[in-house]
Amino acid sequence: MLSPFNEIRKFTCPEIIFGIDARKMIGKKVKKFGINKILIVTSTKIISERWFRDILLSFKTQGISFVQYTIDNRQSKDTDIEEGAIFYGKEHCKGIVAIGGGSVIDCAKAIGICSSNSKNIKQLI
């Protein structure tokens, strides 16, 4: 019998957007997926940037509701993931957008995995 670690798994990232003014088109991209409410995972450093407002405006312009989950400017912890997954469910979000670097992206992916499996991160490790 194969252990769960020997099974083939696939993780699909729907879309990665980058380049000049990509922040202004993110709302259109999310709308294509038919998502009406998202969780934005980001960091305290990112929300202080002037261009971050363009991202929020892009969602508002497309009629997409959002809530924000912000982690400190450090490596995300299991508590960040658990809190984020609880927040995602409580807010009835239908998708996740990560705005930031590696820690933010990793945290967002883990929140998505926990939310879609209805388990906390410790149960999945």
Side-chain angles (χ1 to χ4, degrees):
M1 180 171 158
L2 292 175
S3 78
F5 300 107
N6 291 334
E7 294 177 16
I8 296 174
R9 307 262 178 170
K10 180 180 178 183
F11 177 80
T12 303
C13 183
E15 199 157 353
I16 296 173
I17 304 165
F18 63 94
I20 297 172
D21 288 340
R23 69 189 182 279
K24 295 178 181 177
M25 52 193 279
I26 191 167
K28 281 185 180 179
K29 297 293 185 175
V30 170
K31 190 170 184 128
K32 281 180 20 180
F33 289 104
I35 298 171
N36 61 1
K37 186 167 186 183
I38 59 164
L39 174 68
I40 299 172
V41 180
T42 191
S43 71
T44 52
K45 181 180 179 186
I46 295 294
I47 62 172
S48 67
E49 298 290 337
R50 289 176 47 214
W51 52 262
F52 185 70
R53 286 176 274 172
D54 291 339
I55 292 171
L56 302 181
L57 181 61
S58 179
F59 293 129
K60 288 176 185 174
T61 301
Q62 294 298 318
I64 298 167
S65 299
F66 58 86
V67 290
Q68 199 171 299
Y69 184 71
T70 306
I71 62 172
D72 287 332
N73 301 322
R74 54 161 172 71
Q75 295 286 35
S76 57
K77 298 180 181 176
D78 59 348
T79 53
D80 294 323
I81 295 163
E82 289 177 28
E83 289 171 7
I86 291 167
F87 187 59
Y88 179 91
K90 183 180 93 173
E91 292 292 330
H92 306 287
C93 296
K94 303 299 180 199
I96 301 172
V97 173
I99 308 292
S103 295
V104 168
I105 294 168
D106 289 345
C107 186
K109 290 188 295 187
I111 289 170
I113 291 167
C114 290
S115 297
S116 64
N117 287 287
S118 299
K119 296 184 187 256
N120 68 46
I121 194 67
K122 292 174 185 165
Q123 293 173 303
L124 296 169
I125 295 177

Short mmCIF file of all heavy atoms in Angstrom, two decimals, residues 6 46 50 65 120 125:
data_model
loop_
_atom_site.label_atom_id
_atom_site.label_comp_id
_atom_site.label_asym_id
_atom_site.label_seq_id
_atom_site.Cartn_x
_atom_site.Cartn_y
_atom_site.Cartn_z
N ASN A 6 3.58 9.04 -1.33
CA ASN A 6 4.00 8.43 -2.59
C ASN A 6 3.00 8.69 -3.71
O ASN A 6 3.24 8.33 -4.84
CB ASN A 6 4.18 6.93 -2.41
CG ASN A 6 5.37 6.60 -1.54
OD1 ASN A 6 6.30 7.39 -1.45
ND2 ASN A 6 5.32 5.47 -0.89
N ILE A 46 4.17 45.91 2.18
CA ILE A 46 3.46 46.13 0.91
C ILE A 46 2.32 47.14 1.08
O ILE A 46 2.14 48.01 0.23
CB ILE A 46 2.92 44.79 0.35
CG1 ILE A 46 4.07 43.85 -0.02
CG2 ILE A 46 1.99 45.02 -0.83
CD1 ILE A 46 4.95 44.31 -1.15
N ARG A 50 2.67 53.08 -2.09
CA ARG A 50 1.64 53.87 -2.77
C ARG A 50 0.92 53.08 -3.86
O ARG A 50 -0.29 53.24 -4.06
CB ARG A 50 2.26 55.14 -3.36
CG ARG A 50 2.66 56.13 -2.29
CD ARG A 50 3.36 57.36 -2.81
NE ARG A 50 2.69 57.96 -3.94
CZ ARG A 50 3.32 58.56 -4.95
NH1 ARG A 50 4.63 58.64 -4.96
NH2 ARG A 50 2.64 59.09 -5.94
N SER A 65 -15.48 42.23 -4.13
CA SER A 65 -15.30 42.50 -2.71
C SER A 65 -14.01 41.85 -2.24
O SER A 65 -13.59 40.82 -2.78
CB SER A 65 -16.46 41.92 -1.89
OG SER A 65 -17.67 42.50 -2.27
N ASN A 120 -6.36 22.20 9.76
CA ASN A 120 -5.33 23.18 10.08
C ASN A 120 -3.99 22.67 9.57
O ASN A 120 -3.84 21.49 9.22
CB ASN A 120 -5.31 23.53 11.58
CG ASN A 120 -4.85 22.40 12.46
OD1 ASN A 120 -3.85 21.74 12.17
ND2 ASN A 120 -5.55 22.18 13.55
N ILE A 125 0.71 18.45 7.79
CA ILE A 125 2.17 18.28 7.71
C ILE A 125 2.53 16.82 7.94
O ILE A 125 1.99 16.11 8.69
CB ILE A 125 2.88 19.17 8.74
CG1 ILE A 125 2.65 20.63 8.38
CG2 ILE A 125 4.36 18.86 8.81
CD1 ILE A 125 3.24 21.62 9.34
#
